[in-house]
Amino acid sequence: GQAAPAAAAGHPATAAAAHAAAAPRPGHAALRAAAVRQSRHAFPVPGGPLFAASNPRTKTLYVVTLSKTIALVGTARCTRFVRSGCRVRARIPGRAGFQAVLVDRFTDTIYALFGGLTGKGHTVEVINGARCNVRNHSDCRPVARIGVGRFPIGETLDRATNTLFVSNNYSNTVSLVSTTSCNGTHTSRCRQHPRAVRVGPGPNISALVSSRHTLYVPNVGPGGSDGNTGEGGTTVSLINTATCNAHRHGGCCAPARSATGVNTPFGVTAA
C-alpha cells in the first residue's frame, strides 16, 4: 500500500507505526506456543478462583472459587520449580458463595467467610485444619458457624489480641471474633454473636499494622446489593486494636474514626 506522507518524510513515530502495520501477524503456531508458555506458569482451579490462603505447616493452599466452594491444593510439589502436584485434591463441602478464607496456623483453623452469591450470607465457617488439608481431608465440614454482619468479605487476624476482624460490607460494621474461644478445636463460644464496631459505608479488605496497633478498613461506599459492593466511598476507618478487640471494648468508638482516602477504596495493604 501507499506509505503515509509523514512516514515518507522520515517522521520516526509514524514510520514505526507503518512498519508495524506492514509486519506479519503471528500465526496459529506462534499463538499456540505462547499459550503453552503461559500454561507452564499456571494450573487449573475450576469454578473461578477468587481468593487464596495457605498453611505452610500442612502445605495446603485453600482457594475460594466463585461458582464452587473452596478448593484444596498441595503446595509441596506445586512451586515455580516443581509443578507435578499442582491440582485440586479436595473441596470443602457446601454451596457457592464463599468470599474469603484465612488460616490461623497456630490453632490450625480455617475461617471461611460466607456472604452468599447475592450477599445474604452472614456467617464465618470454622473448620478444623487438622482434618481438612491435602494429606487428611476426612472431615472438611465446619465444626461451628459464627454469626456476623451481612455480606462478610474481608478478614484480618491479630495474633497479639487473638482477634479476627471481619468486615461486613452490607452492615457497615467490623465484627470482633475471639480466636481463643472459637477455633477448630474449641467451639464453646462460637454460637455467641461477637461484638461489632460501626465503620464507614461498605467496609472491605482490611490491613493491620501490629506495631502501631492499628487496623485500616477501606470503605468502598454505599449502595451494595445482590452480591456486589457499592461505590463512591472516600474514607478509611481506623481501629485501635489494643483497646478494641474481642477481649477489650473500651476503645471501640461508634463509629470508628476515619481518614479521607481516594475514591472508592477497595482494599489496603501495609508493610
Side-chain angles (χ1 to χ4, degrees), residues 6-204:
H11 192 285
T14 311
H19 181 270
R25 297 180 181 273
H28 293 294
L31 293 175
R32 283 197 299 269
V36 170
R37 287 194 298 270
Q38 179 65 27
S39 67
R40 292 174 181 170
H41 301 284
F43 64 95
V45 178
L50 173 70
F51 196 94
S54 66
N55 187 339
R57 291 185 176 180
T58 62
K59 296 179 173 56
T60 302
L61 181 71
Y62 300 90
V63 185
V64 176
T65 59
L66 288 170
S67 61
K68 296 181 180 291
T69 60
I70 300 175
L72 277 61
V73 178
T75 59
R77 300 190 63 79
C78 184
T79 68
R80 63 190 182 97
F81 301 109
V82 181
R83 297 182 178 86
S84 60
C86 293
R87 62 183 182 275
V88 176
R89 301 287 188 86
R91 282 188 179 273
I92 291 176
R95 47 191 176 140
F98 287 99
Q99 304 298 322
V101 63
L102 182 146
V103 176
D104 184 352
R105 54 194 176 97
F106 291 98
T107 62
D108 203 355
T109 301
I110 306 156
Y111 295 98
L113 304 186
F114 186 82
L117 295 177
T118 60
K120 295 181 180 179
H122 51 85
T123 59
V124 180
E125 313 285 301
V126 183
I127 301 166
N128 187 339
R131 298 197 299 267
C132 187
N133 56 70
V134 292
R135 296 179 180 175
N136 178 7
H137 41 83
S138 58
D139 190 3
C140 285
R141 293 172 298 178
V143 296
R145 288 184 174 89
I146 309 168
V148 292
R150 292 183 298 128
F151 200 37
I153 62 173
E155 55 188 333
T156 297
L157 177 62
D158 181 15
R159 292 193 176 92
T161 62
N162 295 314
T163 300
L164 181 71
F165 295 89
V166 179
S167 298
N168 306 307
N169 190 263
Y170 288 178
S171 296
N172 303 330
T173 60
V174 172
S175 295
L176 315 176
V177 177
S178 171
T179 58
T180 54
S181 59
C182 184
N183 55 58
T185 55
H186 296 86
T187 61
S188 59
R189 298 185 63 184
C190 292
R191 293 182 179 273
Q192 297 182 7
H193 205 284
R195 185 186 180 99
V197 181
R198 182 159 293 279
V199 291
N204 217 307

Side-chain angles (χ1 to χ4, degrees), residues 190-226:
C190 292
R191 293 182 179 273
Q192 297 182 7
H193 205 284
R195 185 186 180 99
V197 181
R198 182 159 293 279
V199 291
N204 217 307
I205 303 169
S206 60
L208 173 69
V209 177
S210 300
S211 60
R212 299 282 184 176
H213 306 292
T214 303
L215 183 76
Y216 298 86
V217 185
N219 303 304
V220 71
S225 63
D226 297 325

